[in-house]
Amino acid sequence: MSSERVDSLLASLPLEARVGQVMMVGFIGTEVDEDVEELVRGHQVGGICLFKHNIVDAEQVARLNDGLRRLLVGHIPPFLTLDQEGGNVVRVRDQVVVLPSNMALGATRSADLAYAAGRAQGQDLRRLGFNMNLAPVLDVNLNPHNPVIGVRSYGDSVPLVSELGRAFVRGQQDAGLVTVAKHFPGHGATDTDSHTELPVMNETREEVLAQMEPFRDAIQEGLDGLMTAHVAIPRFTGNNVPATLNPQVLDGLLRKELGFEGLVLTDEMEMEAIARRYGVGRAAVLALKAGADMVLVPWSREKKVEVYESLLAAVRSGELPAARLEQAVRRILTAKLRRGLFETPPVLEERLATPPPPGNGEVAHLIARASVTLLRTDGHHFPLSGQERIAVITAEPSLGDAIRARVPRATVLTVPAYPSEARRAALRQKARQAALAADVVVVGMINSRQVDLVTMAAATGKPVLVVSMGLPYLAEMVEEARAVLAVYSYQPASTSAAAAALFGEIGTPGRLPVHLRMMTFGHGLDPVGQKRTDALRDAQGSRKAAQALPGAAR
């Protein structure tokens, strides 16, 4: 890639097209229609972000991506992106590897598995026509009550997040996917969701810099892009201006101190933390002035027009210097050239007929098995023998399916992950009835709404085993449980691994990637009757299997 090519492309773009390039947009619908064509071709947008409402299945989204790309044939090809993090944030579920959460990867402690995860996901998404992914999350989950990060983080250890994040970035970029890590400078210590209001980080400058180490390490790895966080850092900047709009953070800290020359994309500009305080159009101008290169405007059609017209007016008036806009577009073009967006992709039908590389589908299972963490056991009820009458109460149906595949006579009560207050009393009564008819009860928890079901089942005197499929902090809310397993994810690979561990088919090699009140970082037990060396052998086997995957890190 030469700077001459970038110069030539840049020179061919009039002002209106340059403004279009700095916009990453979304739309409603699952196919290209006149409105989408007007948005994409009419503004010659630089990128399109797809969300769950745009995606029916893999084949449909591959055809949609192909149609979106063809809208700009003869112009600058667009970034075609999504949030495919794994765990709680999954947009495509078929014909791609569906990864457990980042925190599950944190429990494996395996950089090889992190690399394999990034590479497999990158290959699968490229096959469906995506050329960018807004992942991985590099926030360090320092606040157990964080409402927006949680299991999306690798853990609460800066070195662990740095090691696994760096490996994942390398894997995804080796697969040719533009990789945009998030949320710079870090959202993991906050207790507020920027979708609804502005989070404020009260850490000192030194503490903020420490939380940013995963981003610094990823930058040194050659990271393509970063997404900003709508957070204020008053003890760092001296004001409450969100990082997305703050030149001290983007131009000063990120560009000058960290030396990042890659692409900077804002988080959604329509979030209340930004829109309510500044207005979307005004905020877009401030973001570009602060050092951002693209603004994400996924929802309202009117807001997209507002952003486009505000940016255009700001350049024409001189408020947004033409040189700053040119610098942003130059970074966008550089990223597109580096990752081959100007090259004609293989024919869609050929891509759809080509299966994913061998081994990709196994990556999620390798991670899930290596992540299973036994947090507590009384030494008598774990693992299960399969001879007991088992009742399963679960907020994720696939856990019940995996247990019933081993014990067909097991009874399964599937409960809502977020039951209404009106339903909770009836669910508690059903949990009690299920427990009374069983010898042992397995409760699959996603969040704290299932804690009272554990309490009700245990009140019958029957032993209760808990599978935590969400944050491991839940383990300290279920003191009645005789054993607690953490798998950090409710994706099928993780529930399958949990069931296998419950019946002693696999070990529990995972180690806590966060600190709990009563359990230290790195805590993890071996099942009764199985020596620690066996569990370690399981983990080593997973690592060796990851190393054997095509292109695995060495």
Side-chain angles (χ1 to χ4, degrees):
M1 180 188 66
S2 67
S3 60
E4 289 82 6
R5 179 81 190 279
V6 174
D7 291 340
S8 174
L9 290 168
L10 193 58
S12 71
L13 297 178
L15 174 60
E16 292 79 5
R18 294 185 184 197
V19 169
Q21 279 299 298
V22 302
M23 292 179 62
M24 173 77 74
V25 301
F27 61 89
I28 303 298
T30 57
E31 58 186 23
V32 174
D33 58 19
E34 290 182 2
D35 288 342
V36 173
E37 182 175 354
E38 180 184 347
L39 170 66
V40 172
R41 183 181 287 161
H43 290 90
Q44 294 188 40
V45 296
I48 304 151
C49 187
L50 300 186
F51 292 86
K52 189 174 181 179
H53 62 260
N54 299 119
I55 299 170
V56 177
D57 55 36
E59 181 173 344
Q60 169 268 332
V61 79
R63 296 188 186 282
L64 176 58
N65 279 334
D66 201 54
L68 292 169
R69 183 187 58 80
R70 282 189 279 107
L71 286 177
L72 290 172
V73 168
H75 301 284
I76 305 297
F79 291 124
L80 297 170
T81 191
L82 77 172
D83 299 277
Q84 185 84 355
E85 299 173 13
N88 298 353
V89 183
V90 174
R91 309 302 190 200
V92 187
R93 294 189 171 275
D94 65 310
Q95 298 187 42
V96 296
V97 57
V98 177
L99 298 169
S101 66
N102 278 353
M103 197 166 280
L105 261 171
T108 74
R109 300 296 197 272
S110 173
D112 287 318
L113 283 172
Y115 177 89
R119 186 175 176 87
Q121 180 163 271
Q123 291 172 334
D124 288 351
L125 291 176
R126 287 275 297 189
R127 178 173 161 270
L128 300 182
F130 291 101
N131 51 43
M132 174 188 275
N133 191 20
L134 307 181
V137 168
L138 296 182
D139 306 84
V140 183
N141 198 63
L142 296 171
N143 184 350
H145 303 293
N146 191 306
V148 70
I149 302 300
V151 295
R152 298 168 68 194
S153 169
Y154 295 107
D156 65 9
S157 160
V158 170
L160 180 66
V161 175
S162 287
E163 180 185 17
L164 299 187
R166 188 169 62 244
F168 188 98
V169 166
R170 187 169 64 252
Q172 196 165 253
Q173 291 186 173
D174 282 355
L177 206 64
V178 179
T179 294
V180 177
K182 55 194 182 187
H183 308 79
F184 182 84
H187 211 312
T190 63
D191 58 7
T192 304
D193 185 347
S194 55
H195 288 84
T196 56
E197 56 185 295
L198 178 68
V200 177
M201 297 173 64
N202 292 308
E203 287 81 5
T204 64
R205 177 182 175 86
E206 291 71 25
E207 289 169 334
V208 170
L209 290 173
Q211 290 181 47
M212 286 184 346
E213 279 303 307
F215 296 99
R216 184 194 301 269
D217 288 349
I219 288 169
Q220 293 175 350
E221 192 68 43
L223 177 68
D224 290 326
L226 279 172
M227 174 180 279
T228 65
H230 301 327
V231 297
I233 324 170
R235 296 178 69 184
F236 187 98
T237 63
N239 57 50
N240 276 340
V241 177
T244 296
L245 312 182
N246 200 320
Q248 293 180 68
V249 178
L250 298 190
D251 185 56
L253 176 60
L254 181 57
R255 298 298 191 192
K256 292 185 172 66
E257 290 189 39
L258 299 186
F260 183 58
E261 282 301 320
L263 184 70
V264 174
L265 169 68
T266 72
D267 207 339
E268 297 173 19
M269 299 301 282
E270 291 153 288
M271 288 183 181
E272 288 299 312
I274 296 291
R276 189 170 60 210
R277 292 167 181 262
Y278 299 92
V280 174
R282 179 64 186 157
V285 173
L286 293 174
L288 264 290
K289 289 176 66 176
D293 303 309
M294 295 191 83
V295 291
L296 176 56
V297 197
W299 306 120
S300 162
R301 180 175 181 176
E302 291 75 18
K303 298 300 183 186
K304 297 180 186 69
V305 173
E306 180 185 336
V307 166
Y308 179 80
E309 292 180 348
S310 296
L311 288 170
L312 201 58
V315 180
R316 285 173 172 162
S317 71
E319 181 190 2
L320 178 60
R324 171 76 270 271
L325 178 63
E326 178 178 315
Q327 182 185 53
V329 177
R330 186 178 294 278
R331 290 195 178 109
I332 293 165
L333 295 174
T334 298
K336 290 180 175 182
L337 283 165
R338 180 190 301 122
R339 296 297 170 208
L341 269 67
F342 287 84
E343 300 168 9
T344 303
V347 176
L348 174 63
E349 300 302 334
E350 292 179 5
R351 282 187 278 124
L352 290 175
T354 303
N360 278 14
E362 184 62 15
V363 171
H365 293 284
L366 291 170
I367 295 167
R369 293 170 201 147
S371 73
V372 180
T373 309
L374 181 60
L375 299 178
R376 191 172 77 241
T377 178
D378 65 0
H380 300 292
H381 297 93
F382 179 89
L384 297 171
S385 70
Q387 302 304 310
E388 309 98 331
R389 292 178 302 166
I390 299 173
V392 183
I393 304 168
T394 178
E396 169 49 50
S398 64
L399 177 64
D401 295 340
I403 291 174
R404 198 145 48 187
R406 293 163 170 83
V407 183
R409 64 184 182 279
T411 61
V412 177
L413 170 63
T414 301
V415 301
Y418 295 93
S420 65
E421 196 62 39
R423 294 193 62 186
R424 294 180 72 171
L427 290 172
R428 287 194 292 270
Q429 186 59 30
K430 288 183 179 180
R432 181 177 184 276
Q433 293 169 352
L436 287 171
D439 299 319
V440 63
V441 183
V442 176
V443 180
M445 296 177 60
I446 290 177
N447 56 54
S448 61
R449 307 289 176 90
Q450 290 86 54
V451 170
D452 54 355
L453 303 182
V454 176
T455 301
M456 185 59 68
T460 66
K462 302 299 176 70
V464 177
L465 281 62
V466 167
V467 176
S468 171
M469 300 176 286
L471 288 164
Y473 312 111
L474 294 170
E476 297 186 317
M477 302 174 69
V478 289
E479 295 180 0
E480 309 94 332
R482 305 292 183 88
V484 181
L485 278 178
V487 293
Y488 316 95
S489 170
Y490 50 74
Q491 296 298 344
S494 292
T495 56
S496 175
L502 282 170
F503 291 97
E505 297 167 14
I506 62 172
T508 54
R511 296 294 176 259
L512 263 179
V514 296
H515 295 77
L516 305 186
R517 290 193 307 272
M518 303 298 292
M519 300 176 198
T520 60
F521 177 88
H523 172 79
L525 304 173
D526 299 323
V528 174
Q530 184 170 358
K531 295 180 180 179
R532 180 172 296 274
T533 52
D534 292 334
L536 292 175
R537 193 177 301 121
D538 285 340
Q540 290 164 356
S542 293
R543 284 193 286 272
K544 289 177 181 176
Q547 291 169 348
L549 290 169
R554 295 291 191 263

